[in-house]
Amino acid sequence: MTDTAMEAAGLGKRFGRRKGWALRACTFRLPAGRVCAVVGPNGAGKSTLLAHAAGLLRPTEGTLTVLGTSPAAARERMAYVAQDKPLHPQLTVEDTLRLGRELNPRRWDAAVAERVVADGALDPDVKIHALSGGQRTRVALALALGKRPELLLLDEPMADLDPLARHELMGTLMADAAENGTTVVMSSHVVAELEGSCDHVLLVGAGQVRLAGPLDDLLAAHTLITGPAADLDDHTVIESRTTGRQTTALIRPGGRLTGTWRSTTPTLEELVLAHLRSPEAPPLHLDDTVEAAV
């Protein structure tokens, strides 16, 4: 066992000269046992990062270790659910779970896999190609959880599920992670939905890690302020908008706030959107791999 689930040092991936760098100079550490949200816009590098962790891609530069070793060496100890949920279309649901058991004989948990399928009222005799996108997602997650992984990598896992199914499966994932100490790394565009589930954040923008660290610490390091337009030179301003005499800004305070500002702690969504709208804002790492930016 290791206390670090994932650690990157100068990680970069380039897909030819025309496409350029999908990831560049990514450095972060994710402690084991966390539920980590990987957030960012399309094309930011989220899927590329998860594919590296799953051992499907090799870095162009830098390193990425998983569970204290290389992704290839850790493959039996982790599970990965890609966006396209690749499953054999001609197998039935029951055959798919049987295949999962045969491929993972030492770690397979048939009870949890069958429960995830049963909760979706799936007919075990139905072939995969006859399932809806949301039903295939449920089968893919059943395979992943049945493997009883130490690290669970999920790339936009809930994108094709209706809100009720997303809520139910998210509850299943969180309960499983809490019971077994599983580290979950999950990318998603539904930022508000992640706030109640994750306790660690990686914000990826333009191929670089902009924010990294425990969610509560990242939120506490920022303040959302509203008040009369004033000088904010003593503070790190992430985003500022002024309408007439009123200013709304997300800042990292550099000292005591003076004046008649109204201040609140931002939500995860407010934090993420402000950083994405301000790509020139300095990054912040609170994961003890690099010194925090000021």
Side-chain angles (χ1 to χ4, degrees):
M1 297 292 290
T2 175
D3 62 355
T4 300
M6 290 172 55
E7 187 163 11
L11 177 67
K13 180 64 177 179
R14 185 173 185 174
F15 292 105
R17 293 184 177 180
R18 290 187 178 181
K19 291 186 177 181
W21 292 91
L23 294 173
R24 195 73 193 270
C26 292
T27 298
F28 65 87
R29 174 182 173 270
L30 173 63
R34 299 295 180 90
V35 178
C36 178
V38 182
V39 295
N42 286 331
K46 303 188 301 297
S47 294
T48 302
L49 177 59
L50 291 179
H52 276 84
L56 301 179
L57 294 174
R58 292 185 178 181
T60 304
E61 62 183 20
T63 61
L64 177 67
T65 58
V66 176
L67 300 174
T69 186
S70 69
R75 190 162 294 163
E76 288 189 0
R77 300 161 60 196
M78 63 180 173
Y80 171 57
V81 179
Q83 287 188 32
D84 55 358
K85 322 293 189 310
L87 299 168
H88 197 294
Q90 294 303 320
L91 292 182
T92 66
V93 173
E94 184 177 6
D95 290 339
T96 300
L97 296 188
R98 184 181 300 114
L99 179 62
R101 183 185 67 229
E102 292 173 354
L103 292 176
N104 303 278
R106 291 185 297 175
R107 304 176 65 90
W108 185 252
D109 188 333
V112 69
E114 291 169 2
R115 184 175 71 248
V116 172
V117 167
D119 287 348
L122 300 184
D123 184 343
D125 295 323
V126 171
K127 291 188 175 182
I128 296 298
H129 71 78
L131 299 177
S132 68
Q135 290 172 327
R136 286 194 294 273
T137 293
R138 185 175 286 275
V139 175
L141 287 172
L143 281 177
L145 291 175
K147 191 176 179 180
R148 186 52 66 216
E150 294 175 42
L151 173 62
L152 179 58
L153 304 169
L154 304 171
D155 191 4
E156 295 285 349
M158 311 295 183
D160 49 9
L161 293 173
D162 62 70
L164 178 59
R166 281 204 306 269
H167 178 77
E168 291 175 346
L169 274 178
M170 187 69 77
T172 298
L173 285 172
M174 295 307 102
D176 185 84
E179 180 179 351
N180 298 286
T182 309
T183 303
V184 180
V185 181
M186 177 169 50
S187 71
S188 177
H189 287 103
V190 189
V191 177
E193 189 175 69
L194 294 173
E195 189 158 16
S197 304
C198 70
D199 55 17
H200 202 92
V201 173
L202 290 177
L203 172 60
V204 183
Q208 296 185 318
V209 176
R210 303 278 309 284
L211 294 174
L215 173 59
D216 289 345
D217 292 349
L218 289 172
L219 294 178
H222 295 77
T223 300
L224 187 66
I225 59 174
T226 304
D231 186 1
L232 293 172
D233 286 347
D234 292 337
H235 311 285
T236 300
V237 179
I238 306 303
E239 181 186 42
S240 177
R241 299 190 301 272
T242 299
T243 303
R245 297 182 179 180
Q246 191 83 352
T247 294
T248 300
L250 180 72
I251 65 171
R252 291 206 288 268
R256 184 177 179 181
L257 281 168
T258 58
T260 57
W261 294 104
R262 295 190 302 276
S263 63
T264 59
T265 300
T267 64
L268 174 59
E269 187 169 32
E270 289 169 335
L271 178 69
V272 167
L273 290 177
H275 275 271
L276 292 180
R277 287 192 293 253
S278 306
E280 72 287 350
L284 180 63
H285 293 255
L286 299 178
D287 52 10
D288 74 25
T289 56
V290 292
E291 294 184 2
V294 178

